[in-house]
Amino acid sequence: MGLFNGTDDHMINVGIIGLGFMGRTHFTVYEKSKIARVTALMDLDAKRRSGDWSDTIGKVGGGLPKKVSMKDRVGYASIDEIIHDPYVDLIDITLPTNFHAEIAVKALKAGKHVLCEKPMALSKKDCMKIVNQAKKSKGMFMAAQRSEEHTSEL
């Protein structure tokens, strides 16, 4: 895990799971970051994981990339592959909410840090599964909360 000083040797390597609208939104924030970079992408759609995001639609338009370079990035077809990539420090989950708990727990068990789009799960029981695994893991868990005020600090 990096030391957060923004040098290449100490960058946080991020793997994004889910390349729909929210995955693209998170990607654009990481692209501006001085301490994190996206090194892995996971989506079931081969076109999206190869960097072609021209088919992605969302709630608001403008400013989101239609095509991204895969130079220095790996595209994965499975969740297990991205979670077990030894170069990924943090897993960013941007899938529909019903998948959050299972993937967050799996990533935490693998020693990854996890950023999970809100809400973190659909039930208190699933939320507690994540919390309890985070307490036992070396990785940290955080539910994503939009904050324009602090985005520039990334």
Side-chain angles (χ1 to χ4, degrees):
M1 183 63 194
L3 297 177
F4 306 104
N5 68 2
T7 65
D8 276 353
D9 292 340
H10 298 91
M11 294 285 282
I12 301 166
N13 292 324
V14 177
I16 299 175
I17 298 178
L19 300 174
F21 173 76
M22 194 52 63
R24 284 174 54 197
T25 301
H26 285 217
F27 178 87
T28 60
V29 173
Y30 291 121
E31 285 293 280
K32 298 172 188 170
S33 175
K34 294 180 176 90
I35 62 168
R37 63 180 166 217
V38 177
T39 58
L41 302 167
M42 184 274 151
D43 200 278
L44 294 177
D45 185 298
K47 193 167 127 178
R48 287 185 185 179
R49 70 176 174 265
S50 71
D52 182 350
W53 298 349
S54 59
D55 68 337
T56 306
I57 58 173
K59 298 174 191 164
V60 291
L64 296 179
K66 299 283 185 192
K67 190 119 176 114
V68 297
S69 170
M70 291 303 291
K71 184 180 184 298
D72 300 323
R73 293 189 180 101
V74 179
Y76 290 112
S78 85
I79 291 165
D80 286 336
E81 286 178 305
I82 195 169
I83 286 175
H84 292 99
D85 180 328
Y87 299 104
V88 171
D89 302 310
L90 181 144
I91 295 292
D92 186 339
I93 304 169
T94 62
L95 294 171
T97 308
N98 57 307
F99 297 106
H100 291 182
E102 178 185 351
I103 296 169
V105 167
K106 189 179 283 194
L108 288 163
K109 282 183 178 178
K112 304 297 183 182
H113 300 294
V114 176
L115 176 68
C116 182
E117 188 53 46
K118 64 186 180 311
M120 64 189 273
L122 291 174
S123 68
K124 180 179 177 182
K125 180 181 175 184
D126 281 347
C127 289
M128 291 311 299
K129 286 179 186 177
I130 297 169
V131 169
N132 291 332
Q133 185 60 51
K135 288 179 180 178
K136 297 185 278 188
S137 300
K138 76 175 190 175
M140 293 182 276
F141 176 85
M142 180 180 159
Q145 178 64 42
R146 182 179 168 157
S147 176
E148 300 292 332
E149 182 178 329
H150 300 291
T151 303
S152 64
E153 295 175 15
L154 291 174

